[in-house]
Amino acid sequence: MNRVRINELLQRPEAGGEVTIHGWVRTCRHSKGFSFLEINDGSIIHNIQCVVDADVPNYDRDVKALQTGASVRVTGRLVDSPGKGQRFEIQAKDVHVYGNAEGYPLQKKGHTMEFLRSIAHLRARSNTFGAVLRVRNVMARAIHDFFQSRGFVYLHTPIITASDCEGAGEMFRVTTLDAGDPPRAEGEIDFAQDFFGKPTSLTVSGQLSAETAALALSDVYTFGPTFRAENSNTTRHLAEFWMVEPECAFFDLDDDVALAEAFLKHIFSTVLSECPDDMDFFNKRIDKTAIETLRHIVESPFERMSYSDAIEILSKSGKSFEFPIEWGLDLQSEHERYLTEEHVKRPLVLTDYPRDIKAFYMRQNDDGKTVAAMDVLVPKIGEIIGGSQREERLDRLQERMKEMGLPEEDYWWYLDTRKFGTAPHAGFGLGFERTIQFCTGMANIRDVIPFPRTPGSAEF
RNA sequence: UCCCCGAUAGCUCAAUGGUAGAGCGAGCGGCUGUUAACCGCUAGGUUCAAGGUUCGAGUCCUUGUCGGGGAGCCA
């Protein structure tokens, strides 16, 4: 089809020439003798205004009947607009209606995010969600660009896992057994008869697989869907979300922190430079500090602090917190928020947490109390990155697993990587949707993914 | 899972325990440059569900469902 995108039209240096656009009517205003149609094709947040005079052949039958949401093809001359509010407009000479939209639920007036969520199949046609999807796309590309330009290998880790050992998080069971009448052996469900011959679940992390690849290819990253069956009902949790997990061999915690900082800054500066119109929209309508915040972060170094120092700052803060502050206890949301929003007012990297509140695979520090862990905290969202240097010493890893009651036989392949040419290595995980939230200022994580999956909700 | 708040027209909301309304949207008409256009008219309701109190319930009570905010859970 003869088709030009609206973003290309709007970026032309000057008017002139005949053009054909395709898109959806965002709003139309009819006067006696002519109509204004504003058409959007999703290529850019802005609409193009089309002026349709009544001498267009199907004017009375089609054009006057157009409703918001209708799909059209418009051909006409691209001219300078005499009106205010737009540079160019199309003086239409042919309008074809693909489909009208009687009863279309979206209006040109603003809608609540809750309502848009209830029509998630149509909300990409709203300004806000269109902008979210375009920014999401640019961020995904920025992530690949960042790693690819540094020689990282994009690794596809399995979605289905038989490792019951990926973590303490609740997992979604994957099975082909008859849920109503599963085969049993001695009273227990007989997973030997299941598709994989053993219990399987959706992955909660690709990290353990990524470690095996990093210990071969040196630098790898994963970027894929991740699943958590936690009954979490918050603005920051999804049951199905996307996670980025780089893993690097011959890397220590300092390298890991530096990588995380460079990585976030690359994503943010890419969004600023490649999504100016969408970011303007977010800045005007969603979060008046969105652009300023991103600029500030790109330009200033991240604050870095040990867990122990954070505890000291919190206990001397004079703030009254609901949860106690004591060395050895995990930080609560209120503590993280105070540190990043009030104390340093920018992203904060916390390192060297007590080993008893962290995972078995994190490298034990020489003090015998802490591990080489790091969390990147950002204002409003909280934890956006969690990572660590991994324990590469076989004996220390086995010792820690024993203390935590993890059976070695379940991890035989993971332990093999420490037996055969082990190497210091580190990595982290980035919550993709939380990062989109941070860039756009969108308050609810359900509004930065096309079709959110949350407890009790898997619509669309 | 816990605490708090909410559910009324397609959407956003109003209505002292006493006749359910407005704006937008929709339909019809008007208007020769509009910009969330403007002007006039019309249609549009099981007030989330079930039960209860009351002469009378959108309003008060109970339970449930759904949604929102906060917290927890969460590699």
Side-chain angles (χ1 to χ4, degrees):
Chain A
M1 275 187 191
N2 176 21
R3 177 161 77 97
V4 56
R5 289 208 174 105
I6 290 169
N7 65 334
E8 193 271 306
L9 278 190
L10 295 179
Q11 283 158 12
R12 286 190 181 179
E14 56 189 22
E18 185 175 285
V19 297
T20 297
I21 56 146
H22 297 67
W24 293 266
V25 174
R26 280 297 175 80
T27 176
C28 38
R29 295 176 286 275
H30 303 289
S31 288
K32 184 176 186 175
F34 64 97
S35 296
F36 294 103
L37 312 179
E38 287 197 36
I39 310 300
N40 186 285
D41 67 1
S43 62
I44 189 169
I45 194 163
H46 305 297
N47 308 324
I48 185 132
Q49 174 165 286
C50 301
V51 187
V52 189
D53 283 327
D55 55 13
V56 167
N58 56 342
Y59 183 79
D60 285 326
R61 192 189 62 208
D62 291 341
V63 177
K64 279 182 83 172
L66 277 176
Q67 293 167 312
T68 299
S71 46
V72 294
R73 179 191 69 216
V74 178
T75 300
R77 282 189 62 76
L78 186 69
V79 299
D80 290 314
S81 177
K84 286 176 185 157
Q86 61 278 316
R87 257 178 83 213
F88 302 139
E89 62 189 26
I90 294 175
Q91 186 65 52
K93 71 174 198 198
D94 179 75
V95 178
H96 173 71
V97 179
Y98 289 105
N100 212 341
E102 204 180 325
Y104 186 63
L106 274 164
Q107 300 172 12
K108 54 187 150 190
K109 247 180 140 173
H111 284 297
T112 60
M113 292 301 158
E114 293 77 31
F115 175 69
L116 289 174
R117 221 173 285 152
S118 74
I119 49 165
H121 59 305
L122 296 172
R123 67 177 174 168
R125 300 195 200 174
S126 67
N127 282 334
T128 303
F129 208 70
V132 165
L133 290 183
R134 283 185 296 269
V135 168
R136 185 180 170 111
N137 169 65
V138 165
M139 290 175 69
R141 209 182 67 227
I143 285 164
H144 284 296
D145 286 348
F146 177 84
F147 290 122
Q148 294 293 329
S149 70
R150 281 168 174 72
F152 283 60
V153 172
Y154 177 31
L155 179 73
H156 302 105
T157 51
I159 304 293
I160 297 173
T161 175
S163 305
D164 207 12
C165 50
E166 283 193 17
E170 293 293 320
M171 300 173 82
F172 288 103
R173 175 62 48 83
V174 173
T175 182
T176 55
L177 295 179
D178 179 356
D181 182 26
R184 291 178 185 273
E186 293 164 23
E188 301 288 303
I189 292 176
D190 184 14
F191 285 103
Q193 294 185 45
D194 202 350
F195 188 88
F196 295 107
K198 59 171 79 168
T200 51
S201 302
L202 296 179
T203 183
V204 296
S205 166
Q207 181 197 316
L208 301 191
S209 313
E211 284 188 50
T212 69
L215 292 172
L217 305 170
S218 295
D219 299 298
V220 302
Y221 70 105
T222 72
F223 186 3
T226 310
F227 306 87
R228 302 278 164 88
E230 308 294 336
N231 189 10
S232 300
N233 296 285
T234 81
T235 55
R236 306 176 305 281
H237 289 85
L238 291 167
E240 176 183 297
F241 63 101
W242 286 64
M243 188 154 67
V244 182
E245 295 178 290
E247 193 73 32
C248 301
F250 314 109
F251 227 56
D252 62 21
L253 189 69
D254 290 335
D255 298 324
D256 207 30
V257 170
L259 182 72
E261 179 170 347
F263 176 55
L264 286 175
K265 285 180 170 176
H266 175 79
I267 297 174
F268 297 155
S269 65
T270 303
V271 168
L272 282 173
S273 63
E274 295 194 20
C275 306
D277 295 326
D278 290 325
M279 284 309 300
D280 269 349
F281 174 83
F282 289 121
N283 207 57
K284 275 199 194 89
R285 298 296 186 87
I286 304 292
D287 174 4
K288 297 207 179 326
T289 64
I291 290 177
E292 181 195 330
T293 302
L294 289 187
R295 283 216 182 103
H296 179 60
I297 287 168
V298 168
E299 286 160 10
S300 51
F302 287 12
E303 182 80 16
R304 182 170 165 175
M305 184 187 294
S306 73
Y307 166 91
S308 300
D309 289 345
I311 291 293
E312 189 148 339
I313 286 164
L314 286 166
S315 50
K316 286 179 180 165
S317 69
K319 299 281 281 192
S320 64
F321 293 108
E322 188 188 341
F323 290 91
I325 296 152
E326 189 187 322
W327 200 98
L329 297 181
D330 207 355
L331 298 178
Q332 300 294 318
S333 286
E334 56 174 348
H335 306 138
E336 296 180 347
R337 291 184 70 128
Y338 170 78
L339 289 169
T340 184
E341 290 174 15
E342 295 185 51
H343 188 73
V344 304
K345 294 188 171 69
R346 55 197 164 107
L348 169 65
V349 187
L350 282 183
T351 62
D352 303 300
Y353 284 74
R355 59 177 225 163
D356 292 335
I357 59 171
K358 287 292 184 183
F360 74 96
Y361 53 74
M362 294 188 178
R363 192 177 197 277
Q364 296 178 61
N365 288 330
D366 293 340
D367 62 13
K369 299 187 302 184
T370 60
V371 288
M374 64 105 168
D375 281 357
V376 179
L377 310 177
V378 295
K380 293 176 196 162
I381 311 291
E383 182 180 337
I384 199 169
I385 280 180
S388 67
Q389 186 172 342
R390 320 306 189 188
E391 182 56 81
E392 86 281 11
R393 298 162 295 188
L394 180 64
D395 55 335
R396 305 294 292 268
L397 186 58
Q398 286 171 317
E399 187 186 302
R400 194 77 191 108
M401 286 171 60
K402 200 169 183 181
E403 284 171 12
M404 296 176 78
L406 301 172
E408 277 195 26
E409 57 270 27
D410 287 350
Y411 295 81
W412 66 271
W413 55 274
Y414 188 67
L415 290 168
D416 263 9
T417 61
R418 274 63 171 174
K419 289 176 188 165
F420 309 129
T422 191
H425 61 291
F428 61 78
L430 168 95
F432 186 46
E433 282 78 13
R434 288 185 182 180
T435 312
I436 302 171
Q437 277 188 278
F438 186 71
C439 279
T440 59
M442 294 294 288
N444 196 315
I445 199 165
R446 294 163 199 187
D447 301 322
V448 296
I449 189 168
F451 299 108
R453 270 77 181 99
T454 53
S457 174
E459 275 300 310
F460 305 105

